[in-house]
């Protein structure tokens, strides 16, 4: 069940069926490739959430399993989707909560506020954002900003659920004795992709190692 805010601003779980019958596929109609891309982004976030579920002696990001409590009436896939959505969206919800303070504009009042990641690919909008909802859809339903936020959160939750279902069908994700397991191969590939070394750009003469300097830089004689 997705997390939404009630009238008092408190975070509460609400059944997806109580919020909206729309699903992410609707907003990517005619662009199946983009929908598949978003599910893959959700898959990456599922793996990130599970791999950092614990902090073992060897460091963060090495966990392959996670225990999920199953309250009465909740499916195990919903429970995992709740966990991933809550963990992945923690920062974004804190940033959103600061909107009233940021709207005041004073630099001193905005000092110390949590910011969205500079890398756009790390933001939750890379999963689903307000820009993915056509303005005509919003106008037709006379939706407020709060309504849009709730819809965006719901679509993100659905994408996470779709990613979990896809991983489960592929055998990348297994559920045994109230515990979710990610296959070793799947997590290893995920880590290699995540931590792939970048090729550094060629630096200027002064930034190079001594054995990589070919000659001296030109100097201007006064």
């Amino acid at each position: 069940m997705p997390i939404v805010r009630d009238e008092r601003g408190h975070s509460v779980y609400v059944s997806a069926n109580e919020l909206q019958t729309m699903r992410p596929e609707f907003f990517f109609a005619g662009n199946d490739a983009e929908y598949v891309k978003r599910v893959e982004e959700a898959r990456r976030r599922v793996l990130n959430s599970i791999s950092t579920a614990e902090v073992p002696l060897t460091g963060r990001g090495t966990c392959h399993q996670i225990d999920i409590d199953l309250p009465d009436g909740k499916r195990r896939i919903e429970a995992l989707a709740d966990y991933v959505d809550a963990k992945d969206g923690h920062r974004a919800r804190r940033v959103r909560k600061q909107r009233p303070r940021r709207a005041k504009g004073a630099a001193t009042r905005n000092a110390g506020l949590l910011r969205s990641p500079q890398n756009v690919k790390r933001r939750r909008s890379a999963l689903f954002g307000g820009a993915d909802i056509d303005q005509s859809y919003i106008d037709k339903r006379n939706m407020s900003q709060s309504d849009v936020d709730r819809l965006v959160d719901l679509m993100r939750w659905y994408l996470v659920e779709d990613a979990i279902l896809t991983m489960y069908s592929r055998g990348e994700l297994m559920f045994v004795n109230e515990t979710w397991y990610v296959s070793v191969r799947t997590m290893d590939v995920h880590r290699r992709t995540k931590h792939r070394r970048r090729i550094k750009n060629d630096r200027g003469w002064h930034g190079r190692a001594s054995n990589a300097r070919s000659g001296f830089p030109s100097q201007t004689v006064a």
Side-chain angles (χ1 to χ4, degrees), residues 2 14-15 22 41 43 63-64 91 107 128 130 140 165-166 173 175 193:
V14 178
S15 171
M22 200 65 65
E41 174 63 23
R43 174 184 175 275
C63 185
H64 281 260
R91 182 188 183 95
F128 193 92
K140 183 177 180 179
L165 287 168
T166 300
L173 201 55
F175 189 77
T193 303

Side-chain angles (χ1 to χ4, degrees), residues 12 23 63 66 99 102 124 171:
V12 294
R23 291 188 58 88
C63 185
I66 180 174
R99 277 179 181 170
R102 183 173 286 113
R124 289 211 94 195

Side-chain angles (χ1 to χ4, degrees), residues 30-50:
N31 192 352
D32 294 340
E34 184 63 25
Y35 172 71
V36 171
K37 176 182 174 183
R38 301 302 179 94
V39 172
E40 182 60 27
E41 174 63 23
R43 174 184 175 275
R44 185 182 68 82
R45 292 167 187 258
V46 170
L47 292 172
N48 281 344
S49 297
I50 294 177

Side-chain angles (χ1 to χ4, degrees), residues 9-144:
H10 297 156
S11 296
V12 294
Y13 282 107
V14 178
S15 171
N17 294 331
E18 296 179 27
L19 292 176
Q20 194 71 248
T21 57
M22 200 65 65
R23 291 188 58 88
E25 299 94 308
F26 172 83
F27 299 102
F28 299 115
N31 192 352
D32 294 340
E34 184 63 25
Y35 172 71
V36 171
K37 176 182 174 183
R38 301 302 179 94
V39 172
E40 182 60 27
E41 174 63 23
R43 174 184 175 275
R44 185 182 68 82
R45 292 167 187 258
V46 170
L47 292 172
N48 281 344
S49 297
I50 294 177
S51 67
T52 57
E54 297 179 3
V55 185
L57 296 177
T58 52
R60 291 184 66 85
T62 60
C63 185
H64 281 260
Q65 65 185 63
I66 180 174
D67 297 326
I68 296 291
D69 294 330
L70 292 177
D72 293 339
K74 179 175 287 190
R75 298 185 302 129
R76 58 182 183 268
I77 290 177
E78 285 183 351
L80 180 58
D82 287 347
Y83 173 83
V84 174
D85 181 65
K87 187 171 184 178
D88 183 63
H90 178 67
R91 182 188 183 95
R93 291 186 179 96
R94 287 179 61 192
V95 171
R96 184 185 297 171
K97 191 175 181 180
Q98 295 171 163
R99 277 179 181 170
R101 182 178 169 188
R102 183 173 286 113
K104 296 179 181 179
T108 54
R109 292 173 180 170
N110 291 338
L113 288 180
L114 189 67
R115 306 289 178 178
S116 297
Q118 290 185 342
N119 187 344
V120 177
K121 293 181 180 180
R122 291 181 54 203
R123 299 182 183 182
R124 289 211 94 195
S125 57
L127 184 58
F128 193 92
D132 294 313
I133 304 175
D134 191 89
Q135 187 61 43
S136 61
Y137 181 92
I138 297 174
D139 294 341
K140 183 177 180 179
R141 292 159 180 77
N142 195 26
M143 299 174 67
S144 65

